[in-house]
Amino acid sequence: AYTMYPAYRKKNDKVNSFAERMQGCFQFSMNGKAPAADSEVLNALTAYAYWLSTGAPVGQALPGRGFDEPMPPKGGYDIARGAKVYTAQCAICHGAKGEGKKVGATQVFPPLWGKDSYNWGAGMHRINTAAGFIQHNMPLGKGETLSDQEAWDVAAFVNSHERPQDPRLLNHDIEATRKKFHEGDGVNLYGVVVDGVLLGQGVQ
Ligand code: HEC
């Protein structure tokens, strides 16, 4: 990714430096607080990425960057069917309640929902994005084995659970936040009522 930056990003509607892009990973995907752009941590990560990109052409996406997303299934996705895929193929590592797995204090398998998961502002909260990631990479070591339908169903199941609030929340107003940041941002369930429950309330 290093040679693709600085680049415009729709998410914050400005040109982002590589350090700013990584700050987004801390804030959304890790649901944490981003170190300053000139901090030792971000300088070290930037230096490492710079070294990894040695000899790479500037401004050209290289093979292996990102992943394609499977087409949305014709009949749509089905959360209940996704629950079955999850129980059969994912729960062994990610936990029956999406809590992941710890060995001692070390998180060995990441939580997929709940208070320790990626938040409602992370790219992974989009069902289309999660379907692509899951189809190529999951179950761990058995990527490319789920059908498009299974990938969409299980992604929808995962993303129909509560997770930490979108840090961009406007005035404690889920509907306003949905309109500004989630409408038109792929397929997602933020601010949507599922089985009588409003999603996007956030958990701490
Ligand atoms: C053998 C254990 C294992 C199984 C089974 C497994 N995963 Fe994973 N999963 C992992 C590990 C480890 C990671 C972290 C990978 C990494 O950081 O590169 C991960 C990462 C993920 C992520 C990204 C989480 C994040 O915070 O970005 C998602 C989403 C995910 N898995 C979904 C699934 C789904 C859906 C299934 C079932 C179809 C599944 N996984 C099966 C071990 C597993």
Side-chain angles (χ1 to χ4, degrees):
Y2 182 82
T3 56
M4 300 299 287
Y5 286 83
Y8 172 78
R9 215 173 167 223
K10 195 167 163 254
K11 187 159 189 157
N12 50 16
D13 194 26
K14 62 172 191 172
V15 172
N16 287 210
S17 67
F18 189 69
E20 285 171 322
R21 177 63 187 83
M22 286 192 293
Q23 286 180 313
C25 303
F26 280 85
Q27 195 188 6
F28 299 105
S29 307
M30 305 305 295
N31 189 43
K33 199 168 171 291
D38 62 352
S39 61
E40 189 178 314
V41 167
L42 283 191
N43 274 337
L45 286 167
T46 303
Y48 181 56
Y50 170 79
W51 176 76
L52 283 174
S53 76
T54 304
V58 172
Q60 272 176 51
L62 296 176
R65 180 173 195 248
F67 40 79
D68 2 287
E69 297 170 4
M71 291 293 286
K74 278 209 181 70
Y77 60 77
D78 185 303
I79 293 174
R81 218 164 37 209
K84 291 194 183 137
V85 176
Y86 186 85
T87 304
Q89 305 211 44
C90 319
I92 187 160
C93 293
H94 292 290
K97 295 191 174 119
E99 73 279 17
K101 197 162 276 177
K102 278 188 173 171
V103 173
T106 307
Q107 190 82 53
V108 290
F109 298 129
L112 299 186
W113 64 88
K115 67 179 176 57
D116 297 321
S117 177
Y118 57 88
N119 65 39
W120 278 112
M124 197 66 84
H125 98 290
R126 290 188 299 261
I127 295 171
N128 51 303
T129 301
F133 174 83
I134 290 165
Q135 194 175 42
H136 291 298
N137 300 294
M138 294 290 142
L140 191 71
K142 289 196 278 182
E144 319 292 348
T145 59
L146 296 181
S147 67
D148 293 4
Q149 182 77 60
E150 288 169 324
W152 270 81
D153 290 348
V154 78
F157 171 72
V158 166
N159 283 333
S160 66
H161 290 89
E162 266 312 331
R163 56 189 64 264
Q165 184 54 265
D166 187 336
R168 302 167 297 181
L169 180 69
L170 298 166
N171 297 322
H172 306 286
D173 186 340
I174 294 170
E175 177 55 17
T177 307
R178 185 191 72 76
K179 274 222 166 88
K180 178 143 170 85
F181 297 115
H182 298 263
E183 204 171 64
D185 184 25
V187 180
N188 73 81
L189 296 172
Y190 183 90
V192 174
V193 175
V194 174
D195 288 338
V197 179
L198 174 67
L199 292 173
Q201 302 190 55
V203 283
Q204 286 180 335

